[in-house]
């Protein structure tokens, strides 16, 4: 049970979400976005977070997209990990997501929720780092397109939320490897998790668990 009361909104457009955020924020309320809700619920029950207003982005069409658009794969922030795995449009991302939590949890955990997690692991970002994916972020000042390494290291804040991730089609079928080591089960938090692929005879590699946030290593890549 969540030990506090809050107002819940499920907007149907990006503009509606932003207007809701702004109006609630102006009233002095603490506002949070969520796309899956698993982490919000867990943290709230554990007394690690509070909120006056929760804005659920799952009703926004752009956040539910999972398809090829021209020469890009577009992934909405509200797409669940299991939906990604089953589509297998991006095999390295599918392989990485398969080791996050258990099957039941992955029906609720979304790509946006994992990428925006307050926990430092955020393993789903690893395939996106090595493919130079971009993040589409909406906020009160407009729409921003940001590189994935920026998303890995910085909290969005200021009423901004992740809407979509885009990956160039040329990176989707490259040779890859994903490895994860935990203290116990295969789906626990990683001691280290890595995703690597080969492009133009060079290895690209990103890590989770070795630092406070995931990162791509120029040193290891050489």
């Amino acid at each position: 049970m969540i030990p506090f009361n809050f107002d819940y909104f499920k907007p149907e457009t990006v503009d509606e979400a932003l207007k809701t955020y702004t109006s609630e924020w102006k009233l002095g309320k603490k506002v949070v976005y969520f796309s899956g809700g698993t982490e919000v619920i867990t943290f709230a029950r554990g007394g690690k977070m509070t909120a006056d207003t929760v804005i659920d982005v799952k009703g926004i069409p752009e956040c539910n997209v999972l398809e090829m658009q021209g020469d890009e794969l577009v992934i909405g922030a509200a797409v669940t990990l299991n939906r990604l795995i089953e589509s297998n449009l991006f095999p390295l991302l599918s392989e990485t997501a398969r080791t996050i939590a258990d099957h039941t949890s992955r029906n609720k955990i979304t790509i946006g929720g994992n990428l925006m997690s307050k926990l430092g692991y955020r393993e789903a970002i690893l395939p996106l780092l090595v493919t130079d994916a971009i993040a589409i972020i909406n906020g009160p000042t407009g729409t921003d397109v940001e590189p994935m390494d920026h998303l890995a290291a910085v909290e969005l804040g200021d009423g901004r939320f992740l809407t979509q991730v885009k990956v160039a089609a040329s990176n989707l079928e490259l040779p890859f490897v994903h490895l994860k080591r935990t203290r116990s089960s295969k789906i626990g938090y990683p001691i280290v998790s890595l995703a690597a692929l080969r492009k133009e005879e060079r290895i690209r590699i990103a890590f989770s668990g070795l630092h406070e946030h995931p990162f791509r290593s120029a040193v290891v890549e050489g």
Side-chain angles (χ1 to χ4, degrees), residues 68-90:
M68 297 300 303
Q69 294 183 1
D71 60 356
E72 293 179 318
L73 172 62
V74 181
I75 306 170
V79 173
T80 66
L81 297 186
N82 273 346
R83 187 178 166 200
L84 281 170
I85 293 167
E86 290 163 6
S87 75
N88 206 34
L89 291 168
F90 184 2

Side-chain angles (χ1 to χ4, degrees), residues 49 71 94 131-132 162 203 211 218:
M49 70 156 287
D71 60 356
S94 296
T131 52
D132 294 322
L162 177 68
I203 301 297
H211 187 60

